[in-house]
Amino acid sequence: MVIIEDLHKRFGKNQVLSGLDLTISEGGVFAVLGPNGSGKTTLIKSVLGMVIPDKGTITVLGENIKKKSDYRHKIDYLPQIANFPSNLKVKELIKMIKDLRAFTNAEDQLIELFRLEPFLDKKLGNLSGGTKQKVNLVLTFMFDSPLIILDEPTSGLDPISLIRLKDLIQKEKAKGKTILITSHIMSFVEEVSDEIVFLLEGKIYFKGTISELKNKTNQPDFEHAIASILIDNHA
Amino acid sequence: MRSRWSYVYFAFYLLLGVVLLFLNNDLSKAVITLMNVIIVLVPLIGTIFGVMYYYNSKEFTELLLAQPLKRSSIFLGQYLGVALSLSMSLILGLGLPFVFYGLFESSAIWDFSLLLITGTFLTLIFTALAFNIALSNENKIKGFGYAILLWLFLAIIYDGLFLMTLVMFDDYPLDKLSLIGTMLNPIDLSRTLILLKLDISALLGYTGAVFKQFFGTNFGLIVSFIMLTIWIILPVLRILFKAKKKDF
């Protein structure tokens, strides 16, 4: 699905990714974890073509993405911070993104799922952080793409929306889609993901299932397993 | 945001046109006064709106970048959106009062069209320059600063330096040099173009005669427009080049 080879990226003096290799096979939920500044968002943005790598190749669905844009039809992306143009109404934004991508009817269902009807005629600038995140989720999930990338999907969500989001992820997974998630909420990751990828200092430190990680670190639960990696590496 | 401000801009030009016509009571005179305003103001507005729009729509740009759109079309679209709406405000805002005043029966129509054409060129040029500055500077304040400096340089400081060189090298034949110097600054070029068209070049003395000889001909006019077009194309190419390599 996604093959990343020898990816390098530096921002000024800060080497964020240094020779990262990663292969994500088709189907399932993958969580990309790592301490702050370990390069999770940079990795995701490289796959999306928003960050241009210094070195290395990225292949999405068998196509080298360098200087291409059409492959993004096959990716649904949820950005980390939902900053939308504040003078647009929710309805207008949804319509606009639909115009840019493809026809879809799935948004009505999603709007209902996240109880967004009362906000459709409000301007995005007047919405709360959590509501914006819900709009963000609707925009992401309304297209039926084989690859879904979620950068911190839980931020700002209330408990009930969180449960709905988890259901949504499971539903998409059942359709055979590949879902890439970054999150700092370990319980969320443990619940939804099939496999985790742990980034440390711009490289992959661990890739495998959660039980493999627990065995490797000799820790009974996931949260402590992650913590022990961080302590061992003074991160 | 963009649309609201372009209405304000439109209203401003409308008011300016009406007031000038009212005060001067004569089309040709109003055109001359207008030139002085346009030559300085249009670049300033283009610069400020360009920078402001880029920084304000940054989040929106990031949203678009994740969509299946080419980077070149995103940035070109934004540039044209700003530049063309500013040009429209200029043309309609100034055009309407002049048309109602009886522009079409007047001899000033060519001078006035030239004024609007150069105004449009200046808008396109300075919006492109502003986008360049904004793309190269993450820091808003710095970007605004550089943009204002650029405008100040081309609108005022350049003339000062130019004049000083002319005074210092007074003993040499300078008409070629001053011609080239004028060509290299879009504001100067526009000003000279309009002044000569208005037939007040006699005020400029000998150099004026040389200028008249050059700009007054069709050849000079064409060369000038080619120069102005180059002033648009180069910054736009740099926008595309920069946008391709930038990280978001």
Side-chain angles (χ1 to χ4, degrees), chain B residues 212-228:
Chain B
K212 177 84 188 163
Q213 226 173 41
F214 181 76
F215 287 105
T217 59
N218 279 336
F219 173 71
L221 200 68
I222 290 167
V223 171
S224 310
F225 277 124
I226 289 175
M227 273 310 285
L228 286 176

Side-chain angles (χ1 to χ4, degrees), chain B residues 74-135:
Chain B
I74 296 175
F75 286 94
L76 215 55
Q78 290 191 341
Y79 163 65
L80 288 177
V82 180
L84 292 183
S85 70
L86 287 181
S87 308
M88 285 303 283
S89 305
L90 173 78
I91 292 172
L92 290 179
L94 284 182
L96 287 179
F98 275 77
V99 166
F100 282 122
Y101 196 81
L103 176 73
F104 290 121
E105 287 111 58
S106 144
S107 57
I109 181 157
W110 292 114
D111 299 341
F112 185 71
S113 326
L114 185 69
L115 193 71
L116 288 187
I117 291 169
T118 42
T120 308
F121 266 109
L122 285 176
T123 306
L124 289 170
I125 292 170
F126 278 86
T127 313
L129 291 174
F131 262 72
N132 268 295
I133 290 172
L135 267 169

Side-chain angles (χ1 to χ4, degrees), chain A residues 39-94:
Chain A
K40 301 184 294 289
T41 298
T42 306
L43 173 67
I44 282 178
K45 286 190 168 178
S46 303
V47 173
L48 281 159
M50 292 169 77
V51 166
I52 315 283
D54 298 330
K55 209 176 126 194
T57 54
I58 301 172
T59 317
V60 176
L61 292 150
E63 187 186 12
N64 188 343
I65 63 162
K66 205 173 172 188
K67 289 183 180 153
K68 298 225 175 68
S69 59
D70 271 349
Y71 76 95
R72 286 199 283 269
H73 272 296
K74 296 176 189 126
I75 302 180
D76 291 338
Y77 169 58
L78 179 97
Q80 188 170 17
I81 303 159
N83 274 326
F84 299 120
S86 56
N87 59 345
L88 276 184
K89 286 179 187 164
V90 176
K91 223 164 50 184
E92 292 168 338
L93 181 71
I94 291 174

Side-chain angles (χ1 to χ4, degrees), chain A residues 8-18 36-39 42 51 54 201-202, chain B residues 247:
Chain A
H8 289 258
K9 180 69 200 178
R10 105 188 0 256
F11 291 110
K13 281 183 187 151
N14 188 7
Q15 184 82 38
V16 181
L17 299 175
S18 42
N36 302 117
S38 57
T42 306
V51 166
D54 298 330
E201 282 156 13
Chain B
D247 298 317

Side-chain angles (χ1 to χ4, degrees), chain A residues 196 206 209-217 222 225-226 229:
Chain A
I196 65 163
F206 171 85
T209 61
I210 290 172
S211 53
E212 280 167 14
L213 182 75
K214 285 180 190 162
N215 286 337
K216 189 181 173 183
T217 51
F222 179 53
I226 294 290
I229 295 179

Side-chain angles (χ1 to χ4, degrees), chain B residues 51 55 133 136-149:
Chain B
V51 175
Y55 287 125
I133 290 172
S136 310
N137 289 288
E138 281 299 303
N139 187 333
K140 265 189 206 186
I141 307 292
K142 256 191 182 171
F144 262 106
Y146 286 138
I148 298 288
L149 267 182

